[in-house]
Amino acid sequence: MKEQSSRPETHLTNGEADGLREDRERWERDVLAPWLEQAPERPSELFELDAGPEAAPLYTPLDLLERGIEHERDIGLPGAFPFTRGATPNGPRSRPPLVKFYSGQGTPEETNRRYRKLRDWGVEQIQIASDLPSQVGYDPDHIMAAGEVGRAGVSIASLRDLEVMFDGLPLTSFKRVGALFSSLGPLALALFVALGEQQGLTTDDYVVDLQNDPLKEYSARGTQFLPIRPATRLAADVVEWCVENAPHWYPLDVCVNHLNAAGAGSSSGTAFALANARCYIEELLGRGLEIDSFAPLLQMFLDERDDLFAAVANIRATRRIWARMLRDDYGARDPRSLALHVTAYGHGRETRQEPLNNIVRTTLGTLAYYLGGVQTLYNASYDEALAIPSDVALKIAVRMQQILTHEQGISLTVDPLGGSYYVESLTSDLERLILDELARVDEQGGAIACIENGYVRSVIVEGAVRRQRRFEAGSRAMVGVNVLASDDEPEPVDVLRVDAEVEEVQRRRLAEVKAERDAGAVGAALAAVTEAARSGANVVPSVIEAVRSYATVGEVADVFRSVFGEWEPDRAF
């Protein structure tokens, strides 16, 4: 079908532009000003977006003109450069966002029970939420794991735990499976490879989706345990292995979410994540890989939690930046490289007070990501600020996404807010803020340099302080908490508690695994991991073999510690 021609908004004649300015000035003088005399605006700080800009009372074609926005260059059409309007031509009409859930609960048995429910409810992607000891490479019997086993997710010590977790659940039960495990990407990958083999599957039969983004841990989340450069190398090893063995997998989701949550704000957080992406890209290019061989395997985990329109605009701006960066800086030509795939976490700053209000907050936060055109999405449960989500809360969260897909016409068209004077202006404003921050990072030597010199952390701290001040002043409103709070009795919420026996259960299982496995095979496999780590070879093949032999997460992590050393905060900032 022939593309319809349209005159870019910036291609107005001088007379037309002058007419727009006169119209706005007349409206401000004759309509707005008299109204404000009767109904004064609320305090100006209420209109300041956490993402950076301040919302104006009105947007018109003049705002697009003043920002130099051109339709063909900056907006375009869905599935076409610069991909502002979407990564695919038909968006949700063909592929609504995958219903994804991040879940893990104490023991593998309890997690299996939950995964079966999620499958039956129609969840399409499972992202394993592991406990903190697993994420930093400590087994349940390690002193550093005491009191934390199974608390913030499922305890994973070896392949045996995944066998139990997916008992009766082939990996093909879901369209994608994955885990965060950002500091242990090779282990996360190996666990899924080995489990797939046990289930009689090849890598062609299922799709693994990993976060595997250690760089943001050093400034925002805190599960780092290796020095920065070796951690970056291991993350790149995972991508390189997938290029050769599973090119339809997603081995790296570059994360904005934790950077924003820590205080960076979505604009600076997106810039820092893009700088991290550049670091991974350059590591892979340095190995001789072609940009179009691995760029389609990368995703970004975007996040904006304060403002629905800023969330939509942030996604659109980031797609545009990514497309231009990949084409102009790295020479990518494959549309699959240029069209950024986005995953997100639908939420709305969930509160402990009046937690049922979180259903409304999360619905609106999730809606923003649908309107922005993400590919995969998971969303918070209303009780998430209190504990691991209960079954009731989890089912509501699942249905929330499904209602957005199937009801109210949300998925009938691509980029339904495209062309809005406000959204297009805000997309341009956020693009500028992101690029300005990214330039500051580049000027200081890139992502690793800005982590080591403390710049990223300083922006996060300043942002967190600013947010807290706005919260205390009431300009960052949370209804029922700092605005319109009530003295009513707390709402009854069924909070899920992790059984204190989880730690002992996991220690016993670990002891059984060690007693039953072939100690010689484990020793040889760990020696191979050591050799690969020392020689600079890709560690993934040796880690897969170690996982097959039932080497534990802690044992493999200890090999990395012995070869690379451990991260020390006083050297990083």
Side-chain angles (χ1 to χ4, degrees):
M1 179 168 43
K2 185 177 180 180
E3 181 180 325
Q4 292 182 343
S5 62
S6 62
R7 186 175 62 180
E9 288 80 0
T10 49
H11 291 184
L12 300 171
T13 66
N14 290 336
E16 288 172 326
D18 289 342
L20 286 172
R21 290 190 182 92
E22 291 172 4
D23 286 345
R24 188 164 71 180
E25 290 169 359
R26 187 181 305 109
W27 174 81
E28 290 173 346
R29 181 185 65 246
D30 298 341
V31 179
L32 179 61
W35 171 257
L36 291 178
E37 290 179 2
Q38 304 175 54
E41 279 192 346
R42 294 175 292 163
S44 60
E45 58 266 22
L46 295 177
F47 307 113
E48 297 171 3
L49 303 185
D50 186 72
E54 180 174 336
L58 177 70
Y59 289 81
T60 72
L62 190 59
D63 291 276
L64 308 187
L65 176 67
E66 291 171 344
R67 288 166 174 79
I69 297 171
E70 294 188 10
H71 186 278
E72 183 177 355
R73 184 192 67 196
D74 300 319
I75 301 173
L77 297 171
F81 196 88
F83 299 98
T84 305
R85 301 202 65 188
T88 62
N90 211 27
R93 290 174 66 98
S94 295
R95 295 178 181 171
L98 287 184
V99 179
K100 167 183 175 182
F101 267 83
Y102 176 57
S103 181
Q105 186 177 339
T107 65
E109 288 86 354
E110 283 298 303
T111 301
N112 176 267
R113 179 191 67 82
R114 171 149 286 184
Y115 287 178
R116 286 171 179 267
K117 286 190 174 184
L118 290 170
R119 177 201 59 187
D120 293 344
W121 294 339
V123 167
E124 298 168 295
Q125 177 173 348
I126 287 293
Q127 205 83 0
I128 297 174
S130 55
D131 66 5
L132 290 175
S134 304
Q135 292 184 49
V136 293
Y138 291 123
D139 290 334
D141 59 356
H142 196 286
I143 185 62
M144 291 296 289
E148 291 293 337
V149 177
R151 292 289 172 184
V154 61
S155 171
I156 301 174
S158 75
L159 177 58
R160 181 66 50 80
D161 293 312
L162 258 72
E163 292 169 359
V164 175
M165 207 180 306
F166 287 93
D167 181 36
L169 279 173
L171 295 178
T172 51
S173 301
F174 303 97
K175 291 183 178 178
R176 295 190 194 178
V177 293
L180 264 63
F181 253 49
S182 280
S183 297
L184 284 167
L187 262 167
L189 181 78
L191 287 165
F192 284 110
V193 171
L195 182 64
E197 291 170 349
Q198 285 192 358
Q199 294 183 346
L201 305 173
T202 71
T203 56
D204 293 333
D205 297 326
Y206 60 108
V207 177
V208 172
D209 183 335
L210 305 175
Q211 188 162 99
N212 183 35
D213 175 12
L215 286 175
K216 50 86 179 176
E217 301 290 333
Y218 296 88
S219 300
R221 188 163 177 266
T223 68
Q224 72 280 357
F225 69 94
L226 297 175
I228 297 176
R229 286 166 181 78
T232 304
R233 170 196 156 184
L234 295 182
D237 281 355
V238 174
V239 179
E240 183 181 36
W241 186 90
C242 287
V243 168
E244 298 171 0
N245 298 279
H248 62 297
W249 288 9
Y250 296 92
L252 202 163
D253 293 351
V254 186
C255 181
V256 177
N257 178 277
H258 295 128
L259 292 161
N260 181 23
S266 61
S267 298
S268 290
T270 301
F272 295 149
L274 285 165
N276 293 344
R278 290 172 76 100
C279 186
Y280 299 126
I281 288 170
E282 286 159 14
E283 168 71 22
L284 290 159
L285 291 174
R287 300 181 182 198
L289 274 69
E290 296 290 333
I291 184 67
D292 285 325
S293 72
F294 66 84
L297 284 65
L298 308 182
Q299 299 182 108
M300 284 194 73
F301 180 7
L302 296 184
D303 184 57
E304 161 56 47
R305 57 191 61 207
D306 272 65
D307 182 88
L308 185 147
F309 293 104
V312 174
N314 176 270
I315 293 168
R316 300 171 87 253
T318 306
R319 277 197 299 258
R320 188 152 78 205
I321 293 168
W322 178 269
R324 289 173 175 164
M325 181 177 80
L326 268 286
R327 184 193 66 179
D328 300 341
D329 295 351
Y330 297 111
R333 291 295 179 265
D334 189 334
R336 297 175 304 154
S337 299
L338 303 175
L340 176 65
H341 278 224
V342 177
T343 187
Y345 174 40
H347 57 104
R349 292 191 286 132
E350 291 73 38
T351 65
R352 296 173 65 89
Q353 298 95 321
E354 301 186 20
L356 294 178
N357 295 341
N358 294 331
I359 297 173
V360 180
R361 294 186 176 99
T362 305
T363 300
L364 294 172
T366 304
L367 173 62
Y369 294 130
Y370 268 72
L371 295 175
V374 302
Q375 278 66 47
T376 68
L377 177 64
Y378 61 103
N379 53 305
S381 302
Y382 70 78
D383 57 356
E384 205 145 321
L386 302 170
I388 292 175
S390 64
D391 284 354
V392 170
L394 199 65
K395 188 171 186 179
I396 291 172
V398 172
R399 295 305 189 216
M400 185 184 300
Q401 286 199 50
Q402 293 166 335
I403 288 169
L404 288 174
T405 296
H406 299 290
E407 300 182 21
Q408 300 298 315
I410 304 300
S411 298
L412 297 185
T413 191
V414 187
D415 189 30
L417 297 183
S420 156
Y421 302 135
Y422 178 39
V423 169
E424 298 299 353
S425 298
L426 188 53
T427 298
S428 178
D429 291 346
L430 295 186
E431 178 187 23
R432 176 181 51 80
L433 290 171
I434 293 166
L435 288 174
D436 287 349
E437 186 69 85
L438 184 58
R440 286 189 285 271
V441 172
D442 287 343
E443 287 167 4
Q444 297 178 65
I448 291 178
C450 285
I451 293 169
E452 291 180 329
N453 69 21
Y455 176 71
V456 175
R457 179 60 63 86
S458 70
V459 172
I460 285 173
V461 170
E462 289 171 7
V465 170
R466 181 178 62 253
R467 282 178 175 171
Q468 183 61 25
R469 285 175 176 163
R470 294 190 68 209
F471 173 81
E472 292 173 358
S475 55
R476 190 173 191 245
M478 301 180 77
V479 174
V481 182
N482 68 336
V483 172
L484 301 172
S486 69
D487 296 326
D488 297 342
E489 289 295 317
E491 298 163 353
V493 175
D494 182 18
V495 175
L496 182 65
R497 303 296 182 189
V498 176
D499 195 317
E501 295 297 315
V502 166
E503 188 166 329
E504 184 55 35
V505 168
Q506 286 302 97
R507 288 187 177 196
R508 285 199 302 268
R509 176 177 286 122
L510 178 60
E512 291 169 1
V513 167
K514 289 183 175 180
E516 294 169 1
R517 69 189 185 178
D518 183 335
V522 173
L526 291 174
V529 176
T530 303
E531 176 57 28
R534 285 179 175 160
S535 69
N538 191 311
V539 303
V540 170
S542 61
V543 173
I544 292 173
E545 191 56 43
V547 167
R548 287 178 182 137
S549 70
Y550 292 91
T552 70
V553 168
E555 289 168 338
V556 175
D558 282 346
V559 168
F560 293 152
R561 290 184 177 98
S562 69
V563 174
F564 301 125
E566 294 192 63
W567 175 76
E568 297 182 28
D570 59 337
R571 293 184 182 177
F573 304 110

